[in-house]
Amino acid sequence: MSILGTAITGLKAHQEALKTTGHNISNANTPGYSRQEVVMSSATPLYRGFGYVGQGVNVDTVRRIENQFLQGQLNSDTSAFNHLQTYREQIEQVDRILADDRTGLQPQLDRYFAALQGAADNPAYVPSRDVVLGEAQGLVDRFETISRYLADQESVVNSQIEAAVAQVNAIANGIAQLNEKIVTAQGSATSAPPNDLYDKREELVRQLAEFVDIDVIDVGATVNIAIGNGNPLVMKYEAAKLEAAPGLQDPFRVGIKFVSKVENVEITDSLNKGSIAGFLDFREEGLSTAINSLGRLAVAFTQETNKTHKLGVDLEGRFGNDFFQDLNDPSLTTRRVFAFGDNALPNDNLFNVYFKDSEQLTTSDYTFHVPGPENSRYEITRNDTGEVIKEGGLSNEYPQSFEFDGLELVLEAGTFSEGDSFTIAPLRDVAQQMELLIRQPSELALAYPIKANTSLSNQGSGLINQGAMLSRDSNAFAVDGKLSPPLLVQFESENRYSVLDNSDPGNPRPLRPPMENLMFVPGAVNTIFTDDPGQTMVNSWRARLPYQPTIGYGGPSTASLNNGINPERFTFYQTDPVTGKETALPTISTPGSASAKDIVQELNLVEGVEARAYTEVQLANFTNSGTPYDPDNPFEIWVNGKEITQTLTSLNQTTYMEGYPEEVPEEMGPNFLADRINHHYELQQMGIRAKSDGETLTIIDESGNDILVEMRGDKPQPVITGAPILPPGIPANVNAYIDPGDTFMLSTGEQWSVDVVQGDTQGKISNLTGYDFSSDGPYEFKMYLPDGRTGYVELTGNHETGEDVKAELAAKIQAQLDSPGYVKAEIDERGNLSYQIFMSVEGTGNNDVSRVNVGGQVDITMADGIRLKTDPTVGGIFNGTPEAKSTYMGFQFEISGRPVAGDEFAIGWNENGVSDNRNALDLVAIETTDTVNVEDGGMTLTESYSQTVEQIGTLTSQAQIRSDSAKAVLDKTTEELTDIKGVNLDEEAARLIEFQAAYNANAKVISIAQELFDSLLAAF
């Protein structure tokens, strides 16, 4: 090649270099552009004999300056940054609305409780009540505003995911098209690459990384792109697509599907980076936390307020209603479970979700899954931890319910198939479902329905508080506007009391079940009534009286006597509150003639069982001999071997306490005997006390030991013989002159109810008037008989007086007894019938004594879920499976100080309690009561909301830190890549000068070659 040809190759090569440099400068600000450079090589030299002579320069190609490693890092960093930045942008909005005083919940909560406190200060003042209603409505509005904002945020997230999916699909199609263009432009594997097309594709790949995490695989001149778990989004010239569709697990939240020619799968959970993953993570973490935390707060506040408000009474004396909408309303409970999108048909399941205990609620959603085999089992998984919290078998019977984490899930209907799953989202919409139901200030129930009064005649220092309401779900509130029954707390001693039915204040009667002989600790605070709604009590029958007294020959004796209690076996069963499985607890067997105290000691060994015992003996109808005997027998009585009728002459006697009645009366009676017992040192040490109403002596052993009563005196005489001579004209053997001797009637104090079988007396039987049983009859009654049988009587005819009714009833019951005894029938103030049995104890007329040993009563209190079965079914003091009755009153009182015997406290309905603020104070106390999040130790409403704000604030702060860090990493990678592939205008300007100089030099060579050629031509 000539010098001219050589120069021309150089000219052309540097012309291309100048053009390429200009191209670089023109695209200095083009996104994704990679700097290009002309690759030159020397042309093949020509051998001239003396050596090789160069032939100029060749332009091999135009090369893109790139770094595949840094480009891949850039894509990864881009995905990471957009993921975190998207999360940050979304959660910052939630953080602002929750934490800002102008939009947050806490300021309105404070105003509401302040208004309640104002009403509590003056509950009768109607304007204060108006303020409460206004602030309550404001609180409902604030709950709804925040909840709707969060719901709108969720809708925005759905829309943004849909828009991002559309962009991903567009970019994927663009990449596939560029793959085809590049291959077409390149033509073959050895041809020059279309650099600008490569840049465009590389930029699209980077843009795709903004939305999803990608794996890029070079296949020749094309790239394949996979997302998620290797799903091929781009394969050479074809692009699959993503679909934003209702989520598989939740139809109200958009999910991501991967759709290609061969598959259609949900990949929502496999997207880990990019802005779409940022939206998804924000929705699952930040947004769900805010929504469910607000919902939990709404449930706790609503349920606690409603429960407390319904325990009070309003200005009209009526029980309060729901303050806010009941969130367990059937119209709401069916909307809290969503079927998975891939469940088997017919997908006809019906669920209800109820809030059972707001303290147990978490902020998590749950998944109900049927893992198989077939449809026999279920699992409930807590979504935030992945923990299976409940599992078991599915029955084919509906409804079937499951309780967990403060919720009750009820399966109402439908069919299940193996693999079916359901999302349980109980808290999502509840804050929007709140509604104020109280419209009138007079409807605010700020007073308690109950109150306590202290008897003005009390001698002790005992004090009773004004109680605490627990629930209306007890028989005590079965009748509107009254306590059923009113109660009387009556102290028998400084450490024993009974709670009685005070419906007839002149004649208080035992409750059903009875609450008698209860222990009291003087000087301490003693709680009256249980707070366990499931607690029940069974009461034994009192020991059966003997056929007749036993004769103690020669006087009082320590020889043991049967106490009327037969051998008995006790079996307790406990039901597991979670599984419903019933388990037998240890069996207790007691021997015949065991004291009630001994029985109780054995029963108290059973967990969940608390037994107490006491023994009662009643002596009534005392008669004293009217005829002198020779020798005369004094009327003497012993209790547990201790004589209480002796005459003591010593001034230093140590039998009785100071103040005892010294003189023995001629006519023995209950008052004297009660005083003697209550002043007897040894009997008091034994825990024996007595009381008298002037007609009946009641002796009580507080621990349930047997009470042995012995007596000696004149024997009743059915025929008068000897002196004194009867008055003239009076025939012998006249009843009025028969000597009754020294006697009394003895009873255990047991009263058996007489229950209606047929006929309705409508409570009209009374002690004051009779009853016509011939009208609307027949009237049949049944009653328990002491030998374990059930007796039946029919009352007929017209009875003029209540005494006539009692006389006929007593006679007909008497006829069914299998042993002697005197039946006394009674009518209470409600028209209920009952009867009591007495036996006669008589003097013997000599030194022998009549002895009666009486066993006690056992009351068994059982915790929720425990029941009792006894054996034998007849003859025991419990007789088979005794009826367990609830002891739950729905309220509690506290008595402190030191009451003494005879002190009384009445508990009744709170009439005209318009100035009572006790329920208002309970409503105010909700603010400072731990009502939420028991798994973290319990929180108040304020603490719970503060925790939510703190959690969202922490997530926001973390997102900001991570986003800033990711931005710094992305910037660093971008800078490093730009240093390599980016256009530096200074460098390009230098190259222009360089290439221009080379171009000019080659042009000069051409000029010189032209001059040489012209000179050669001129030489010829």
Side-chain angles (χ1 to χ4, degrees):
M1 183 179 289
S2 65
I3 186 173
L4 181 62
T6 299
I8 290 173
T9 62
L11 184 71
K12 289 182 177 180
H14 287 90
Q15 184 181 34
E16 293 303 322
L18 285 169
K19 289 167 59 178
T20 300
T21 302
H23 185 61
N24 286 341
I25 294 172
S26 298
N27 288 281
N29 295 313
T30 300
Y33 179 77
S34 300
R35 179 169 58 84
Q36 300 176 13
E37 63 181 14
V38 174
V39 180
M40 304 178 191
S41 63
S42 59
T44 303
L46 182 64
Y47 183 73
R48 291 294 187 183
F50 54 83
Y52 288 92
V53 178
Q55 299 299 303
V57 64
N58 291 331
V59 176
D60 294 336
T61 188
V62 178
R63 179 176 61 190
R64 291 171 65 239
I65 305 303
E66 60 179 335
N67 185 310
Q68 289 298 323
F69 172 77
L70 284 177
Q71 188 64 48
Q73 186 64 43
L74 177 67
N75 291 338
S76 177
D77 293 345
T78 298
S79 293
F81 169 70
N82 280 275
H83 170 223
L84 295 171
Q85 183 64 16
T86 300
Y87 185 98
R88 171 181 178 171
E89 291 171 353
Q90 299 301 314
I91 202 166
E92 283 178 339
Q93 299 178 52
V94 176
D95 183 50
R96 280 193 294 271
I97 191 170
L98 293 180
D100 196 316
D101 286 345
R102 295 167 297 177
T103 56
L105 187 65
Q106 189 58 51
Q108 188 59 45
L109 266 176
D110 293 340
R111 286 193 289 271
Y112 165 77
F113 282 112
L116 265 179
Q117 183 61 61
D121 292 340
N122 191 356
Y125 188 54
V126 173
S128 296
R129 292 169 171 254
D130 279 325
V131 174
V132 172
L133 295 183
E135 296 299 344
Q137 184 61 56
L139 185 57
V140 169
D141 293 343
R142 185 62 58 88
F143 266 110
E144 182 179 13
T145 298
I146 298 175
S147 181
R148 288 199 179 279
Y149 176 85
L150 297 176
D152 291 344
Q153 189 78 359
E154 187 167 33
S155 298
V156 169
V157 168
N158 286 341
S159 299
Q160 290 178 319
I161 291 175
E162 292 171 350
V165 165
Q167 289 181 279
V168 167
N169 290 336
I171 293 172
N173 285 325
I175 294 172
Q177 292 171 7
L178 283 170
N179 276 344
E180 185 174 9
K181 289 180 180 180
I182 289 171
V183 171
T184 301
Q186 192 163 328
S188 69
T190 58
S191 64
N195 292 330
D196 292 327
L197 292 180
Y198 273 99
D199 284 345
K200 289 182 179 179
R201 187 179 67 185
E202 199 168 76
E203 174 61 16
L204 286 181
V205 171
R206 189 201 64 79
Q207 291 177 12
L208 183 62
E210 292 180 358
F211 298 100
V212 289
D213 190 19
I214 59 175
D215 290 321
V216 181
I217 305 168
D218 290 315
V219 182
T222 65
V223 293
N224 291 346
I225 298 177
I227 63 174
N229 290 327
N231 304 96
L233 182 62
V234 177
M235 291 286 287
K236 295 189 72 174
Y237 314 141
E238 294 185 355
K241 68 175 182 178
L242 302 183
E243 283 187 1
L248 179 67
Q249 302 178 10
D250 188 340
F252 298 102
R253 291 183 169 178
V254 168
I256 311 297
K257 283 187 176 182
F258 176 82
V259 181
S260 69
K261 293 181 178 179
V262 295
E263 60 181 339
N264 185 335
V265 295
E266 178 152 333
I267 62 170
T268 305
D269 293 337
S270 63
L271 299 179
N272 300 317
K273 292 183 180 179
S275 61
I276 292 179
F279 286 125
L280 295 174
D281 287 350
F282 161 71
R283 187 174 68 186
E284 294 304 315
E285 295 176 6
L287 189 59
S288 289
T289 296
I291 290 174
N292 286 348
S293 296
L294 186 69
R296 181 174 67 172
L297 193 63
V299 172
F301 172 75
T302 299
Q303 286 200 323
E304 287 300 314
T305 301
N306 283 351
K307 180 177 73 173
T308 303
H309 188 255
K310 290 194 290 185
L311 297 181
V313 291
D314 61 19
L315 286 178
E316 304 297 328
R318 298 183 296 255
F319 268 118
N321 296 315
D322 280 335
F323 204 110
F324 300 98
Q325 169 69 49
D326 181 7
L327 297 177
N328 282 330
D329 188 274
S331 64
L332 306 176
T333 57
T334 58
R335 296 151 52 182
R336 295 167 180 162
V337 178
F338 319 125
F340 274 31
D342 58 353
N343 282 0
L345 296 176
N347 209 5
D348 57 350
N349 309 92
L350 177 61
F351 296 85
N352 279 300
V353 179
Y354 299 95
F355 300 113
K356 300 293 288 184
D357 184 355
S358 62
E359 292 184 2
Q360 302 288 337
L361 293 177
T362 72
T363 56
S364 176
D365 291 344
Y366 302 84
T367 299
F368 181 89
H369 179 56
V370 184
E374 298 181 345
N375 62 350
S376 61
R377 292 185 62 253
Y378 74 91
E379 292 178 347
I380 298 177
T381 303
R382 181 169 164 170
N383 290 356
D384 61 350
T385 63
E387 176 189 3
V388 176
I389 59 173
K390 195 174 186 68
E391 59 184 326
L394 285 172
S395 68
N396 294 322
E397 298 180 357
Y398 297 103
Q400 185 176 5
S401 66
F402 314 98
E403 291 192 18
F404 57 94
D405 287 353
L407 300 170
E408 181 184 18
L409 174 68
V410 181
L411 280 57
E412 302 287 0
T415 54
F416 293 94
S417 299
E418 183 177 342
D420 284 356
S421 295
F422 305 83
T423 294
I424 306 169
L427 299 170
R428 187 169 300 176
D429 299 322
V430 292
Q432 295 182 47
Q433 295 164 354
M434 290 181 64
E435 180 184 355
L436 179 64
L437 300 182
I438 300 297
R439 299 300 179 187
Q440 299 298 324
S442 62
E443 295 175 345
L444 285 174
L446 304 183
Y448 265 6
I450 53 173
K451 66 177 180 180
N453 291 313
T454 301
S455 173
L456 296 177
S457 61
N458 283 1
Q459 300 299 309
S461 62
L463 298 173
I464 188 169
N465 72 351
Q466 286 305 305
M469 284 291 297
L470 304 177
S471 172
R472 284 165 46 183
D473 299 330
S474 75
N475 292 331
F477 301 109
V479 179
D480 290 340
K482 63 184 299 186
L483 191 64
S484 301
L487 305 172
L488 182 68
V489 180
Q490 189 177 77
F491 279 80
E492 285 93 15
S493 68
E494 65 177 10
N495 54 15
R496 296 285 170 170
Y497 71 94
S498 296
V499 183
L500 305 173
D501 179 341
N502 201 32
S503 298
D504 181 3
N507 184 30
R509 302 173 64 86
L511 293 171
R512 295 184 181 181
M515 296 182 64
E516 297 180 292
N517 197 49
L518 303 174
M519 181 177 291
F520 184 86
V521 180
V525 175
N526 294 255
T527 300
I528 313 298
F529 311 121
T530 180
D531 61 353
D532 179 4
Q535 185 185 88
T536 57
M537 178 188 289
V538 292
N539 310 99
S540 74
W541 302 110
R542 295 182 181 176
R544 189 181 182 189
L545 292 174
Y547 186 83
Q548 62 185 12
T550 298
I551 300 301
Y553 297 102
S557 154
T558 58
S560 62
L561 289 179
N562 187 286
N563 64 0
I565 296 178
N566 294 324
E568 198 154 6
R569 185 165 49 246
F570 302 80
T571 304
F572 294 91
Y573 298 87
Q574 184 170 33
T575 300
D576 189 301
V578 177
T579 64
K581 181 181 178 181
E582 189 174 67
T583 304
L585 300 177
T587 297
I588 303 295
S589 296
T590 57
S593 212
S595 71
K597 178 181 179 180
D598 292 339
I599 295 173
V600 162
Q601 288 176 342
E602 294 295 321
L603 295 177
N604 281 333
L605 298 176
V606 180
E607 186 176 358
V609 172
E610 181 181 350
R612 65 175 183 268
Y614 60 98
T615 307
E616 181 176 317
V617 175
Q618 292 184 353
L619 308 183
N621 295 348
F622 288 86
T623 65
N624 294 264
S625 174
T627 303
Y629 280 75
D630 187 15
D632 185 36
N633 297 288
F635 197 156
E636 299 172 285
I637 297 178
W638 291 262
V639 175
N640 281 15
K642 311 300 178 183
E643 186 177 1
I644 57 174
T645 53
Q646 74 272 48
T647 299
L648 300 176
T649 58
S650 172
L651 296 178
N652 298 320
Q653 60 86 25
T654 58
T655 302
Y656 295 100
M657 305 174 191
E658 184 179 354
Y660 82 101
E662 299 181 12
E663 184 177 349
V664 179
E666 292 185 4
E667 299 289 330
M668 193 65 65
N671 291 340
F672 166 76
L673 296 174
D675 281 346
R676 277 289 178 102
I677 291 172
N678 291 332
H679 284 82
H680 197 287
Y681 280 112
E682 292 186 77
L683 291 180
Q684 292 303 297
Q685 291 172 358
M686 293 179 186
I688 293 177
R689 54 184 168 78
K691 60 183 178 180
S692 169
D693 62 4
E695 295 182 357
T696 301
L697 168 68
T698 301
I699 307 172
I700 297 173
D701 185 289
E702 298 175 344
S703 300
N705 292 300
D706 294 348
I707 295 180
L708 174 63
V709 177
E710 299 172 289
M711 71 87 66
R712 180 164 56 195
D714 289 338
K715 184 177 182 179
Q717 296 295 322
V719 177
I720 296 177
T721 58
I725 300 173
L726 295 176
I730 303 299
N733 303 328
V734 176
N735 287 340
Y737 284 87
I738 294 176
D739 189 341
D742 297 326
T743 69
F744 55 80
M745 304 299 290
L746 183 146
S747 170
T748 63
E750 181 86 74
Q751 288 187 321
W752 291 276
S753 64
V754 178
D755 302 318
V756 175
V757 176
Q758 189 175 2
D760 184 6
T761 62
Q762 300 178 347
K764 294 181 179 180
I765 302 177
S766 75
N767 289 299
L768 301 177
T769 61
Y771 193 83
D772 186 1
F773 291 101
S774 63
S775 176
D776 300 325
Y779 292 86
E780 186 178 12
F781 302 83
K782 68 176 181 179
M783 71 292 301
Y784 177 86
L785 300 177
D787 61 0
R789 294 178 296 126
T790 300
Y792 293 89
V793 298
E794 183 176 344
L795 298 182
T796 59
N798 184 23
H799 296 66
E800 296 292 338
T801 66
E803 294 300 322
D804 293 341
V805 175
K806 291 188 286 186
E808 182 181 356
L809 178 62
K812 290 188 174 181
I813 294 175
Q814 184 96 45
Q816 300 185 54
L817 299 182
D818 65 345
S819 62
Y822 165 71
V823 175
K824 179 182 179 183
E826 294 187 8
I827 304 172
D828 69 15
E829 70 286 344
R830 298 179 182 176
N832 298 315
L833 302 175
S834 62
Y835 77 97
Q836 186 174 358
I837 294 179
F838 292 83
M839 67 178 295
S840 178
V841 181
E842 303 173 350
T844 60
N846 53 37
N847 286 333
D848 299 335
V849 296
S850 295
R851 311 178 72 216
V852 179
N853 191 36
V854 179
Q857 174 173 327
V858 176
D859 296 336
I860 303 176
T861 301
M862 298 175 291
D864 190 11
I866 297 180
R867 70 177 180 90
L868 169 65
K869 183 177 181 180
T870 63
D871 183 41
T873 58
V874 175
I877 57 175
F878 282 96
N879 287 348
T881 304
E883 180 184 4
K885 297 180 179 180
S886 174
T887 61
Y888 187 64
M889 290 289 186
F891 52 81
Q892 288 183 309
F893 283 85
E894 292 179 347
I895 298 179
S896 58
R898 296 181 179 276
V900 297
D903 284 359
E904 295 179 342
F905 303 91
I907 299 173
W909 186 260
N910 186 13
E911 299 284 351
N912 300 318
V914 294
S915 296
D916 183 357
N917 69 347
R918 285 176 291 164
N919 206 49
L921 294 175
D922 286 351
L923 289 168
V924 172
I926 293 175
E927 182 181 22
T928 56
T929 302
D930 289 344
T931 56
V932 186
N933 199 11
V934 71
E935 69 175 354
D936 289 337
M939 292 183 176
T940 65
L941 298 174
T942 296
E943 291 169 343
S944 177
Y945 185 72
S946 297
Q947 182 191 50
T948 301
V949 173
E950 182 179 345
Q951 287 176 334
I952 298 300
T954 300
L955 291 174
T956 302
S957 177
Q958 292 174 345
Q960 290 167 342
I961 294 171
R962 292 171 181 172
S963 174
D964 290 341
S965 298
K967 181 66 165 59
V969 172
L970 177 61
D971 289 345
K972 181 65 175 177
T973 303
T974 301
E975 181 182 350
E976 291 178 2
L977 189 59
T978 300
D979 288 343
I980 295 173
K981 62 178 279 186
V983 176
N984 187 312
L985 293 178
D986 291 337
E987 292 180 1
E988 296 303 314
R991 289 191 181 96
L992 278 177
I993 296 173
E994 177 187 348
F995 296 147
Q996 182 183 15
Y999 182 88
N1000 289 336
N1002 280 284
K1004 186 66 174 176
V1005 172
I1006 293 173
S1007 176
I1008 293 172
Q1010 183 65 43
E1011 290 177 3
L1012 290 174
F1013 184 72
D1014 290 344
S1015 297
L1016 289 174
L1017 289 178
F1020 294 99

